[in-house]
């Protein structure tokens, strides 16, 4: 116990302190004389933590936690927040240990709670009446306390840069982003990213702050990739973060690396028009290669029907991973490939009848054949599709509505990268 | 459970980015620097490569009917 008290007296964190804060760690040896302590906040923290351990030992098991354990864990983090107010950078370590612990308790309790509700509904066929308030999730309570830790770090005005708690900002950013992801709360993700962006000048970079914690740095990159690519549809920035996350991740591989690659592949397609070498991807991430294999094939041949079937088959997974919109954008690249191939096969110079392009689209989308007299509706749809491709810089050319023709540039009608996208990148 | 099965489960069942089991690892263990790990996942010449599968044959046949 003396080792723990010494941490607070001499302002450092070590394994003894981290262990002490955990509800399931073995009790520390030594006799604690609380009366000899003069720091009320510290006394409260020690009492709360001992109570937390007692609650776990007497009422919980590894997979079954109690709401009281959450309340004590929440109180522990609140007490640490109060202590942290007057402390230096060292306090961010015990704060993070306590915050992570609270998050793990919250996740388990929310999972149990959701399971119980399902069971109750099945048992009694009870349903909430309209107007009933939803129960607040443990994660929602948890994130409020974690956010206080975040703000303590963000707003530290200690002039000594080495001792400033700003070094801890990204640890709590990761925790908050992970909670908002679980709560499906995009607005809060956006708010948090905006706060970080607005304070970058006064914060250490993530690479500086997390250089000794690669797991946290990769996690931060992953969340940023998801934010920019899935929420903001900024595939270039999404790709840059996903690429950094992947390159810094463990060569040994694991579920985290698979999840990173799930983002990386569509973002690379959309930002750079690069598609993965399936043999290389498959050697390290077989499940990801298997998932995206048919997409790559469709991008090579312009087969819209197979792409639609793939999209429908994996709709749930893509929605859960926030990738559905990105994959709908990838569909446009399949259309582009189809148009490019149709132009090549028709071989009629720079001026093409829309009828041929419409026939290619209908065949690719439904495997049906257009009648020789193509309907005005089909031609209008084709014009809209081509207009979209031209406006995005995927095709260099223009539409002649009166002649129902597509006129493509004689040189580089299908630029490798969308013209507008390249210009946007060049201007940044 | 095989590694492949575990990976498939990860894609299909888990909704969240899990915590890493370790806090950090050596630079030499990263994808970027580990030996024998190919870091170039990408093919950039895909747009220039022509494929000749059943779909392509059907598409060509369909377009033949609509040639100007």
């Amino acid at each position: 116990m003396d080792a723990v008290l010494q941490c607070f007296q001499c302002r450092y964190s070590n394994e003894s302190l981290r262990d002490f804060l955990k509800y399931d760690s073995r009790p520390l040896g030594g006799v604690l004389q609380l009366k000899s302590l003069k720091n009320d906040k510290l006394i409260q923290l020690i009492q709360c933590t001992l109570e937390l351990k007692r609650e776990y030992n007497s009422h919980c098991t590894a997979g079954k936690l109690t709401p009281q354990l959450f309340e004590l864990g929440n109180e522990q983090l609140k007490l640490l927040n109060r202590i942290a107010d007057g402390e230096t950078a060292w306090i961010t370590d015990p704060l993070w240990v306590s915050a992570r612990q609270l998050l793990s308790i919250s996740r388990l309790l929310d999972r149990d709670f959701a399971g119980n509700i399902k069971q109750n509904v099945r048992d009694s066929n009870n349903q909430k009446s309209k107007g009933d308030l939803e129960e607040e999730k443990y994660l929602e309570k948890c994130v409020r306390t974690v956010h206080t830790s975040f703000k303590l770090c963000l707003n530290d005005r200690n002039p000594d840069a080495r001792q400033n708690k700003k070094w801890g900002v990204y640890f709590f950013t990761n925790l908050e982003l992970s909670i908002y992801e679980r709560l499906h709360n995009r607005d809060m993700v956006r708010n948090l990213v905006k706060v970080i962006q607005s304070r970058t000048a006064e914060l250490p970079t993530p690479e500086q702050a997390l250089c000794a914690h690669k797991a946290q740095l990769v996690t931060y990159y992953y969340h940023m990739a998801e934010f920019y690519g899935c929420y903001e549809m900024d595939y270039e920035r999404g790709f840059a973060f996903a690429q950094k996350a992947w390159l810094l991740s463990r060569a040994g591989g694991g579920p985290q690396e698979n999840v990173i690659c799930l983002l990386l592949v569509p973002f690379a397609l959309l930002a750079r028009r690069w598609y993965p070498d399936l043999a290389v991807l498959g050697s390290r991430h077989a499940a990801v290669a298997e998932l995206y294999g048919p997409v790559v094939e469709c991008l090579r041949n312009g087969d819209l029907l197979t792409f639609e079937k793939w999209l429908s088959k994996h709709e749930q997974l893509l929605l859960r991973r926030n990738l559905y919109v990105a994959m709908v954008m990838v569909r446009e690249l399949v259309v582009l490939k189809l148009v490019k191939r149709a132009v090549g096969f028709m071989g009629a110079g720079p001026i093409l009848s829309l009828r041929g392009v419409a026939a290619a689209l209908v065949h690719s989308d439904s495997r049906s054949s257009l009648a020789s007299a193509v309907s005005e509706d089909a031609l209008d749809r084709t014009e809209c599709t081509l207009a979209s491709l031209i406006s995005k810089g995927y095709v260099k050319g223009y539409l002649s509505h009166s002649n129902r023709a597509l006129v493509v540039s004689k040189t580089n009608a299908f630029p490798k990268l969308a013209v507008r996208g390249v210009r946007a990148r060049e201007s940044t | 459970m095989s590694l492949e099965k575990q990976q498939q489960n990860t894609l299909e069942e888990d909704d969240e980015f899990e915590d890493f089991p370790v806090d950090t690892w050596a630079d030499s263990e990263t994808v970027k620097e580990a030996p024998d790990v190919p870091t170039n996942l990408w093919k950039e010449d895909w747009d220039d490569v022509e494929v000749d599968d059943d779909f392509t044959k059907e598409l060509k046949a369909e377009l033949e009917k609509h040639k100007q």
Side-chain angles (χ1 to χ4, degrees):
Chain A
M1 200 63 213
D2 287 345
V4 172
L5 296 178
Q6 205 168 1
C7 289
F8 286 92
Q9 281 156 6
C10 302
R11 296 183 163 177
Y12 64 84
S13 181
N14 64 13
E15 208 51 48
S16 300
L17 176 56
R18 286 182 212 117
D19 260 3
F20 172 69
L21 293 171
K22 290 175 189 167
Y23 61 75
D24 56 352
S25 63
R26 274 187 279 176
L28 294 169
V31 180
L32 178 65
Q33 296 289 342
L34 282 180
K35 283 179 187 168
S36 64
L37 289 175
K38 289 176 184 164
N39 184 337
D40 287 344
K41 292 177 195 169
L42 182 54
I43 293 171
Q44 286 173 5
L45 174 71
I46 291 169
Q47 284 174 332
C48 174
T49 304
L50 293 175
E51 185 63 27
L52 180 79
K53 290 171 187 291
R54 272 197 293 276
E55 173 66 19
Y56 180 75
N57 288 327
S58 51
H59 296 111
C60 306
T61 56
K64 185 75 186 168
L65 306 182
T66 59
Q68 182 58 19
L69 193 79
F70 171 85
E71 296 302 335
L72 288 164
N74 199 25
E75 188 58 27
Q76 183 196 59
L77 184 56
K78 283 181 178 174
L79 288 165
L80 269 169
N81 280 338
R82 269 184 239 156
I83 291 173
D85 209 13
E87 288 294 346
T88 53
W90 77 272
I91 198 75
T92 57
D93 185 55
L95 270 178
W96 187 50
V97 171
S98 177
R100 281 181 76 171
Q101 172 168 265
L102 185 62
L103 170 56
S104 94
I105 296 172
S106 307
R107 284 180 65 187
L108 271 171
L109 284 173
D110 275 341
R111 204 173 61 191
D112 282 355
F113 188 65
N116 286 342
I117 285 180
K118 274 184 195 166
Q119 191 59 44
N120 288 343
V121 168
R122 265 201 300 270
D123 289 350
S124 60
N125 207 20
N126 275 346
Q127 283 194 330
K128 284 201 165 188
S129 324
K130 252 187 182 174
D132 277 1
L133 289 175
E134 286 291 328
E135 289 280 342
E136 190 178 40
K137 290 184 173 174
Y138 287 99
L139 277 175
E140 288 167 323
K141 293 180 194 168
C142 163
V143 78
R144 282 203 292 272
T145 317
V146 173
H147 190 62
T148 306
S149 310
F150 169 80
K151 284 191 295 186
L152 275 166
C153 294
L154 185 72
N155 297 325
D156 191 3
R157 294 183 179 208
N158 189 334
D160 182 349
R162 285 174 309 169
Q163 295 301 323
N164 194 300
K165 290 193 286 287
K166 285 189 167 72
W167 288 101
V169 157
Y170 298 102
F171 290 93
F172 299 100
T173 303
N174 276 350
L175 284 181
E176 283 201 49
L177 288 172
S178 131
I179 295 171
Y180 295 139
E181 186 186 333
R182 288 177 177 118
L183 293 173
H184 306 291
N185 193 334
R186 288 185 179 202
D187 290 339
M188 293 306 289
V189 172
R190 190 167 284 119
N191 288 346
L192 190 63
V193 175
K194 272 187 189 169
V195 168
I196 294 284
Q197 278 175 339
S198 69
R199 307 284 288 269
T200 43
E202 56 191 273
L203 288 173
T205 64
E207 291 78 11
Q208 289 168 335
L210 302 173
C211 64
H213 304 271
K214 285 197 179 70
Q216 290 304 309
L217 188 52
V218 172
T219 304
Y220 178 78
Y221 287 151
Y222 169 79
H223 285 305
M224 291 299 107
E226 187 179 41
F227 171 72
Y228 284 112
C230 301
Y231 297 175
E232 301 288 287
M233 287 187 275
D234 181 345
Y235 300 112
E236 186 60 41
R237 289 177 91 170
F239 170 72
F241 277 113
Q243 174 92 326
K244 284 201 275 189
W246 182 66
L247 288 174
L248 196 67
S249 63
R250 297 164 304 163
Q256 297 85 358
E257 285 77 9
N258 270 346
V259 175
I260 292 167
C261 278
L262 267 186
L263 298 186
L264 185 60
V265 172
F267 295 172
L269 286 168
L270 290 164
R272 303 289 174 91
R273 305 261 299 278
W274 292 349
Y275 81 72
D277 184 326
L278 290 175
V280 175
L281 183 67
S283 68
R284 296 185 35 77
H285 308 283
V288 181
E290 193 180 324
L291 176 73
Y292 287 127
V295 174
V296 170
E297 210 43 52
C298 294
L299 283 163
R300 284 160 60 94
N301 64 12
D303 183 348
L304 286 166
L305 182 63
T306 304
F307 185 84
E308 291 293 350
K309 283 181 182 170
W310 178 90
L311 201 58
S312 174
K313 182 181 172 187
H314 297 288
E315 187 180 63
Q316 292 292 323
L317 171 71
L318 296 171
L319 285 170
R320 285 206 313 270
R321 293 290 182 189
N322 297 314
L323 279 170
Y324 192 80
V325 174
M327 294 316 296
V328 169
M329 306 295 272
V330 169
R331 183 187 183 278
E332 200 157 36
L333 296 179
V334 180
V335 173
L336 174 64
K337 183 64 187 226
L338 179 70
V339 171
K340 185 179 176 184
R341 299 189 89 198
V343 169
F345 293 157
M346 306 263 285
I351 303 173
L352 288 114
S353 157
L354 283 190
R355 191 182 300 164
V357 183
L361 284 167
V362 168
H363 175 75
S364 177
D365 209 15
S366 61
R367 295 294 188 276
S368 53
S369 190
L370 270 185
S372 52
V374 180
S375 72
E376 287 294 302
D377 276 355
L379 292 175
D380 286 344
R381 278 197 299 274
T382 305
E383 265 189 30
C384 285
T385 303
L386 292 171
S388 174
L389 295 178
I390 293 169
S391 74
K392 289 177 178 168
Y394 288 142
V395 179
K396 277 167 71 180
Y398 62 90
L399 288 163
S400 170
H401 178 70
S402 53
N403 295 315
R404 290 290 197 184
L406 166 69
V407 184
V408 294
S409 168
K410 286 178 185 168
T411 56
N412 199 19
F414 297 92
K416 285 234 172 209
L417 277 174
V419 174
R420 204 173 59 177
V422 171
R423 279 187 196 141
R425 270 193 294 282
E426 283 170 351
S427 66
T428 54
Chain B
M1 194 186 284
S2 70
L3 181 63
E4 195 171 324
K5 183 70 181 163
Q6 282 175 357
Q7 286 179 339
Q8 193 64 45
N9 284 353
T10 302
L11 296 186
E12 294 297 336
E13 290 168 13
D14 291 349
D15 287 355
E16 295 150 3
F17 188 74
E18 289 177 32
D19 284 343
F20 285 90
V22 290
D23 187 41
T24 198
W25 43 90
D27 287 345
S28 59
E29 292 173 39
T30 61
V31 168
K32 190 178 181 181
E33 295 191 18
D36 307 325
V37 175
T39 53
N40 188 15
L41 274 184
W42 313 111
K43 283 193 172 177
E44 293 168 45
D45 61 344
W46 66 283
D47 219 17
D48 304 324
V49 178
E50 262 309 325
V51 287
D52 192 23
D53 53 7
D54 289 345
F55 171 77
T56 304
K57 286 171 190 150
E58 291 163 16
L59 180 66
K60 276 182 181 168
E62 181 65 22
L63 289 174
E64 276 298 317
K65 297 182 208 165
H66 295 272
K67 267 196 172 174
Q68 289 158 317

